[in-house]
Amino acid sequence: MTHYDVIVIGLGGMGSAAAYRLARRGRRVLGIDQFAPVHNLGSSHGGSRITRQAYFEDPAYVPLLLRAHELWEGVERDSGRKIFTRCGGIMLGDPGSRTVSGSLASARKWELPHELLDAAEIRRRFPTMNPADHEIALYEENAGFVVPEGSVAAHLQLAARAGADLHHEEKVLSWRQTSTGVRVGTAQNFYTAEQLVICPGAWAPGLLAELGVDFTIERQVQYWFAPSGGAEPFRAGRHPIYVWEGETGRQFYGFPSHDDAGSVKVAFFRGGEPCTPETIDRTVHAEEVGEIAEFVGRKMPSLPGAFLRGATCLYTNTPDEHFVIARHPAHDRVVVACGFSGHGFKFVPVVGEVLADLVVDGTTEHPIALFDPARLTGASR
């Protein structure tokens, strides 16, 4: 039986980053994933994920975002892959909406560079957008997007270069803590290690049932359209990333065009159908395309244009929509990282760093108190 310093279960966004950071610190690492590398069956695909720092979810995230921004540059340099594109971003809605007011609160608390734009200024600077007269936006120059597939590929590449063993298409069937470490069973073998990191994505309800967190899994759909006036007005540099909160509180988000096909990606933010990884409907239906085209068309009339394609992905949510990053309360050799969906991918490199800290040092200087699972289970620390 092969013995390691650390086993990492799950090699998507967070797990691939954890495997790299741990191997870089000299740990003998085994990473295990049930699928082929850089797959499209979880939450780390779709060609783009928003990055932003004026964070409406909670100002407590901002220090992590600033560190992630630094780390993306290093991952790009060391891997030779282009992952991050800075194109600016705007958070739009009514002045009192969570999207606008929360972003403004974070920007002011952390003194982040930003501008407030009224509807006329939004239309002037971004002619693709047609906000109502009462809507405003926070503009953040440092916002942009990352390519999730590129991130996973880069972190796997760097992990392997640093000496990690990476096993793909090997499904984990069990894990347990022993008197001397941890033991992980797969469909092919058993492995032991001093410590275990679990980054399960949408498989959290099964792999982390003992944690006591009520995870919910949602089916989400990403849509790509060819704008009726062509893609040029939507190109990066002319069109920003955005999160737009409508009158009912429903949010949608989108990206500039950044591929040769001239496609523009949009999606709703949360509110998907409950599912499991086994029961998710992977078909994108005509009525879904019609719903988002009608919704987005009210704000950006030329965007819906012609529907090109759609893709499903899985959101894994906690009850309060904040992450779980902590040592397992019942197993002192196990570290868990989950519940990221909806807004987690921009944190990938810093979460990898945090997980390496927790394994190697037993603690981290990064602010992660918000992510303690005790807040959701009523347990005391």
Side-chain angles (χ1 to χ4, degrees), residues 171-319:
K171 185 177 178 64
V172 170
L173 301 179
S174 65
W175 67 266
R176 64 184 177 89
Q177 182 164 310
T178 68
S179 59
T180 57
V182 295
R183 177 183 170 97
V184 174
T186 74
Q188 283 87 354
N189 212 335
F190 287 95
Y191 306 95
T192 60
E194 299 300 311
Q195 298 194 66
L196 175 64
V197 176
I198 305 178
C199 302
W203 287 263
L207 283 171
L208 293 175
E210 190 183 356
L211 191 62
V213 175
D214 184 19
F215 296 105
T216 57
I217 313 301
E218 289 182 8
R219 171 186 177 272
Q220 291 289 337
V221 184
Q222 305 165 81
Y223 305 86
W224 287 261
F225 291 90
S228 57
E232 277 308 309
F234 289 87
R235 291 289 182 188
R238 302 180 66 183
H239 183 78
I241 62 94
Y242 59 91
V243 178
W244 202 326
E245 184 171 333
E247 291 77 9
T248 64
R250 191 174 194 185
Q251 297 163 302
F252 72 99
Y253 65 95
F255 301 83
S257 178
H258 60 97
D259 62 18
D260 295 337
S263 63
V264 179
K265 176 184 166 183
V266 296
F268 285 120
F269 190 41
R270 302 195 184 280
E273 299 172 351
C275 68
T276 70
E278 294 73 32
T279 63
I280 181 174
D281 179 3
R282 297 283 182 183
T283 301
V284 178
H285 301 278
E287 57 270 25
E288 295 177 302
V289 176
E291 180 186 20
I292 195 162
E294 191 275 333
F295 197 93
V296 171
R298 295 197 298 266
K299 304 295 188 182
M300 291 184 284
S302 67
L303 176 55
F307 174 66
L308 298 177
R309 64 187 177 94
T312 59
C313 70
L314 293 159
Y315 270 20
T316 309
N317 303 311
T318 63

Side-chain angles (χ1 to χ4, degrees), residues 30-108:
L30 169 64
I32 309 175
D33 197 282
Q34 63 183 317
F35 300 115
V38 198
H39 61 83
N40 63 355
L41 299 173
S43 306
S44 298
H45 61 281
S48 54
R49 291 291 187 276
I50 284 175
T51 63
R52 50 192 168 90
Q53 295 173 353
Y55 218 59
F56 63 76
E57 286 85 348
D58 195 302
Y61 286 90
V62 174
L64 295 171
L65 290 162
L66 296 174
R67 178 58 177 159
H69 190 85
E70 297 172 349
L71 292 172
W72 283 122
E73 294 181 4
V75 173
E76 287 188 320
R77 181 188 64 247
D78 295 341
S79 69
R81 297 174 183 269
K82 176 64 174 173
I83 300 170
F84 170 67
T85 296
R86 188 175 75 166
C87 59
I90 57 175
M91 305 295 109
L92 305 95
D94 290 335
S97 65
R98 181 191 183 203
T99 304
V100 174
S101 64
S103 299
L104 183 59
S106 282
R108 287 174 172 168

